[in-house]
Amino acid sequence: MTSYVLQVLECPACQAHFVSMSVASHNTFDAIWYTDGFIEGPMFDEGCPILECPECRQCFWCESVRTLRFVQEAEYSRDAECKTLPWANRDLRFASLVDDGHWETEAQERYIRTRAWWESNHSYRREQSVPFNLAGNELANLEKLLLLLAPNDSRDALTAAEISRELGRLDECLRRLDRDFDEHLRSAASQVRQLARDGSRRVARLVDVGS
C-alpha cells in the first residue's frame, strides 16, 4: 500500500500557496524491474523531489520550498482552505529539465539525467513493435550520465554497462560486466550480459529480480 502526506506549500518565486503530496510509505509488491533501473508497481511510488508551481509555472527542488503545514489524507476532504488551493504539478518532463540545466549539485544532475533516461525508454518498455531508436539529445544525455557514475560502485557499474548497451557499444558493455557484482545484482548483470551477447540495445524487463 502507498500512503501519502499532503503539504500546503508557498512558492519561493511568486509566494502562491498550493498543495502537494509527499510519499509516506510504499513497497515493491508485484513490481516490475527494468534493465535501466526503472521500477513500476501498483504500490510503488518513489515520489519526486522537484515540483512545479501551479501559478508561475517555475520548477523548484522541494528542499527550497517552504512548507506551511501538513494535512493528513483523511483530513483533506474536511479542510475547507486546503480544498480551494491548486495542486503542484509533478508530471514533469525531465528532458526539459536537462535542457534547462535545472541542478546545482552533481547529485541533482544525476537524478534529473537518470529520470530523463527512463522517460526516453518508456515507449519501448512494453511496445515491442516500436523500433528502439534514441534521439540525439537522448544519446547525449546518456553520455553525460556515464560521467557521473562511480566506476568502483557495483550498482553504478551495472548502470554503466546498461548505458553502454543502449548506446550500441556492446563490447564495452561486456567489458564493464567483467567484474564481481554484489549478490543482489548478479541476476540483473547476467541478463544484461545475455542481451548484449544477443546484440540487443533495447531496454528490457528483468525476471526474478526484486531488490
Side-chain angles (χ1 to χ4, degrees), residues 57-75:
R57 300 298 180 184
Q58 292 193 56
C59 290
F60 303 95
W61 291 88
C62 293
E63 62 197 39
S64 68
V65 180
R66 181 185 175 203
T67 300
L68 300 177
R69 62 190 179 96
F70 293 92
V71 181
Q72 296 300 318
E73 276 190 281
E75 299 172 0

Side-chain angles (χ1 to χ4, degrees), residues 140-198:
N141 180 58
L142 290 183
E143 297 282 10
K144 293 284 189 180
L145 181 55
L146 265 179
L147 300 176
L148 299 173
L149 301 176
N152 295 326
D153 180 85
S154 191
R155 185 173 293 279
D156 276 11
L158 178 57
T159 300
E162 172 64 9
I163 290 175
S164 295
R165 186 179 72 85
E166 293 192 25
L167 288 170
R169 303 201 290 257
L170 303 181
D171 289 342
E172 179 180 288
C173 170
L174 293 172
R175 286 196 300 271
R176 293 183 185 279
L177 292 170
D178 188 18
R179 55 162 291 163
D180 290 329
F181 283 91
D182 295 343
E183 183 176 358
H184 67 286
L185 298 175
R186 289 174 188 165
S187 176
S190 177
Q191 292 176 65
V192 171
R193 183 181 296 110
Q194 189 58 56
L195 288 165
R197 288 172 175 167
D198 292 342

Side-chain angles (χ1 to χ4, degrees), residues 4-153:
Y4 301 90
V5 174
L6 278 61
Q7 300 165 273
V8 177
L9 305 173
E10 181 178 84
C11 175
C14 70
Q15 284 70 57
H17 293 181
F18 55 90
V19 181
S20 182
M21 286 196 305
S22 60
V23 178
S25 66
H26 66 174
N27 62 61
T28 56
F29 295 147
D30 297 323
I32 299 171
W33 275 258
Y34 292 89
T35 52
D36 61 357
F38 181 73
I39 304 171
E40 63 178 348
M43 292 175 282
F44 180 83
D45 184 350
E46 67 169 2
C48 180
I50 308 171
L51 53 78
E52 181 186 84
C53 172
E55 298 295 336
C56 68
R57 300 298 180 184
Q58 292 193 56
C59 290
F60 303 95
W61 291 88
C62 293
E63 62 197 39
S64 68
V65 180
R66 181 185 175 203
T67 300
L68 300 177
R69 62 190 179 96
F70 293 92
V71 181
Q72 296 300 318
E73 276 190 281
E75 299 172 0
Y76 175 75
S77 62
R78 299 189 298 272
D79 191 315
E81 178 193 11
C82 193
K83 287 173 62 177
T84 65
L85 295 175
W87 283 77
N89 177 27
R90 287 184 179 267
D91 186 19
L92 307 174
R93 287 198 69 255
F94 285 96
S96 296
L97 296 178
V98 168
D99 292 341
D100 294 341
H102 195 78
W103 55 76
E104 296 181 356
T105 67
E106 188 173 288
Q108 290 177 347
E109 179 181 1
R110 176 171 169 162
Y111 179 90
I112 288 176
R113 290 193 182 280
T114 299
R115 271 71 189 170
W117 175 26
W118 293 349
E119 191 175 75
S120 67
N121 274 339
H122 283 340
S123 61
Y124 306 116
R125 297 189 191 281
R126 295 189 177 181
E127 294 297 330
Q128 295 299 312
S129 60
V130 177
F132 187 77
N133 184 27
L134 297 179
N137 63 319
E138 295 168 339
L139 297 172
N141 180 58
L142 290 183
E143 297 282 10
K144 293 284 189 180
L145 181 55
L146 265 179
L147 300 176
L148 299 173
L149 301 176
N152 295 326
D153 180 85

